[in-house]
Amino acid sequence: MRRAQWVGKDRIRQPGRPHPPWPGREYTVAGVRVFVRRTPATSADAEPAVCIHGLGGSSQNWTDLADRLSDDLSIDAIDLPGFGHSAPSTSASIQHFADIVAGWIVRSGRGPVHLIGNSLGGAVAVYLAATRPRLVRTLTLISPAMPFRNPNRSRQSHIVPMLALPGLEIMAGKVFRSRSPDQIVREIVESTWARPDRMHAQRFQEAVAEARWRQMTPWTTAAYIHSFRSLMGVFFQTLVPKAATLWRLAEVITVPTLVIWGNKDRIIDVRQAPRTARAFRDGRLLILSDVGHVAQIEAPDVVARAIVPLLEPPRHLSPETETTRTGSGEKASSR
């Protein structure tokens, strides 16, 4: 495992104001209607990248990071089946999601790509990079959902026993629709951000609009629960000797891999971070101070500055190699 490095602030785009969510289109991939947003590149030399959101997230989660990286990357952010504006699929397994993303990379003709995943999307990215290595140039994992055995190390541990309840999808749907979109967004931000007060008012309203859309979509809660159950199945797989777990798959990945984690992550414990970075042959680690589970949203400047070194020679790197600062003024450390 290496220390993560980063470029100076002048090396990434610094937007004067938040850009609205990037436009997207619906495509059919492996028989599933999938929605993909593309951020226009600002350079002819920009390389292709694909971003995969986490459980309950969407392609909108990448708006700010894609903006900051548009000089270097032409980013496609995909809504996984059942999330965002994508239709549900017959399966919600990690393997199926990886097949959908791989299908998009092949269909778009832009591979190999720089692959970036957060949480559940990180697990999908690991599976894809291990099983379809020719489609991936580099791998960036932001608080990836790598399996751990102690459920008390996640704020969502209380939900796990409920996954066995019959008819949970119906009950959850009623609860979800009974809440106001504002309340839904506040609850999500409270659980995934270290500092909810950092959220820009425009971003909050965009998230509220998306929550309102999800309340009108009949499959929203079912897709969430089915995906959560599949993810837990991947976690329980670690109890089976010699199983092809995500940890074993990580060991065969050879592309440069960057692991980024917020030290205030309450969804997946930051103590997972060193083990995760060490699992890859060319892994490097960056732990951000005072940042939660969705660093690409809460601290997009630092995440962008850490991704750029994967794309270019070392001569552009900042002389700082121990600490930098997030947009909030807090320190970030590479270990």
Side-chain angles (χ1 to χ4, degrees):
M1 178 180 72
R2 296 195 231 170
R3 294 181 177 184
Q5 296 178 299
W6 48 82
V7 294
K9 289 183 178 180
D10 60 343
R11 182 59 184 77
I12 64 168
R13 288 178 57 81
Q14 296 291 332
R17 60 179 180 175
H19 194 284
W22 302 101
R25 289 181 55 192
E26 188 179 271
Y27 302 86
T28 299
V29 180
V32 181
R33 291 187 294 108
V34 176
F35 189 80
V36 181
R37 298 181 190 272
R38 177 167 295 177
T39 305
T42 52
S43 167
D45 297 328
E47 298 179 347
V50 170
C51 292
I52 315 171
H53 63 78
L55 185 65
S58 77
S59 54
Q60 284 191 196
N61 293 168
W62 304 100
T63 305
D64 290 321
L65 183 66
D67 194 2
R68 284 156 175 78
L69 288 172
S70 59
D71 286 346
D72 295 277
L73 297 177
S74 172
I75 291 180
D76 287 349
I78 187 168
D79 283 336
L80 293 174
F83 296 95
H85 290 266
S86 289
S89 184
T90 54
S91 173
S93 69
I94 300 295
Q95 178 179 349
H96 180 66
F97 286 165
D99 287 344
I100 293 294
V101 178
W104 169 250
I105 295 172
V106 172
R107 172 180 172 143
S108 66
R110 296 179 358 117
V113 302
H114 300 283
L115 192 61
I116 307 170
N118 170 228
S119 195
L120 167 67
V124 173
V126 169
Y127 191 96
L128 195 160
T131 58
R132 304 288 296 274
R134 293 185 180 181
L135 296 181
V136 180
R137 292 187 186 186
T138 67
L139 183 62
T140 298
L141 305 172
I142 302 169
S143 292
M146 297 297 285
F148 54 91
R149 296 185 179 183
N150 185 354
N152 294 324
R153 290 170 65 173
S154 173
R155 188 170 179 171
Q156 292 185 313
S157 60
H158 67 285
I159 302 176
V160 175
M162 298 174 62
L163 295 175
L165 294 175
L168 178 60
E169 295 88 341
I170 297 174
M171 291 184 288
K174 291 179 179 179
V175 173
F176 181 65
R177 288 187 293 273
S178 71
R179 288 183 164 89
S180 70
D182 287 51
Q183 185 179 5
I184 292 170
V185 173
R186 291 186 193 282
E187 290 174 355
I188 292 172
V189 175
E190 286 287 341
S191 65
T192 56
W193 288 53
R195 292 272 307 279
D197 59 299
R198 290 180 187 149
M199 191 174 200
H200 194 282
Q202 177 183 323
R203 289 288 179 255
F204 181 82
Q205 292 305 320
E206 290 165 354
V208 168
E210 185 175 46
R212 188 175 294 113
W213 160 267
R214 291 181 181 182
Q215 285 183 313
M216 295 186 296
T217 305
W219 57 73
T220 295
T221 51
Y224 181 93
I225 291 167
H226 292 165
S227 300
F228 202 160
R229 283 175 175 154
S230 294
L231 185 59
M232 288 303 98
V234 172
F235 276 42
F236 294 142
Q237 193 177 30
T238 61
L239 302 175
V240 180
K242 299 183 179 180
T245 66
L246 286 178
W247 292 110
R248 290 183 180 273
L249 291 176
E251 293 173 358
V252 307
I253 296 173
T254 60
V255 298
T257 301
L258 171 64
V259 175
I260 300 175
W261 225 290
N263 74 336
K264 298 291 180 64
D265 191 335
R266 295 186 292 274
I267 304 300
I268 304 179
D269 198 314
V270 69
R271 285 176 287 182
Q272 284 275 98
R275 180 189 177 190
T276 301
R278 284 195 297 267
F280 300 92
R281 298 187 187 183
D282 188 10
R284 59 216 66 190
L285 175 62
L286 178 65
I287 295 179
L288 302 181
S289 179
D290 202 26
V291 173
H293 185 61
V294 286
Q296 79 277 16
I297 308 176
E298 193 171 6
D301 283 351
V302 181
V303 173
R305 292 170 60 192
I307 289 175
V308 169
L310 294 181
L311 319 177
E312 60 181 21
R315 65 179 180 275
H316 294 291
L317 300 182
S318 165
E320 301 175 271
T321 56
E322 296 295 333
T323 60
T324 187
R325 295 194 176 267
T326 67
S328 64
E330 297 294 335
K331 288 186 177 179
S333 63
S334 57
R335 300 181 182 177

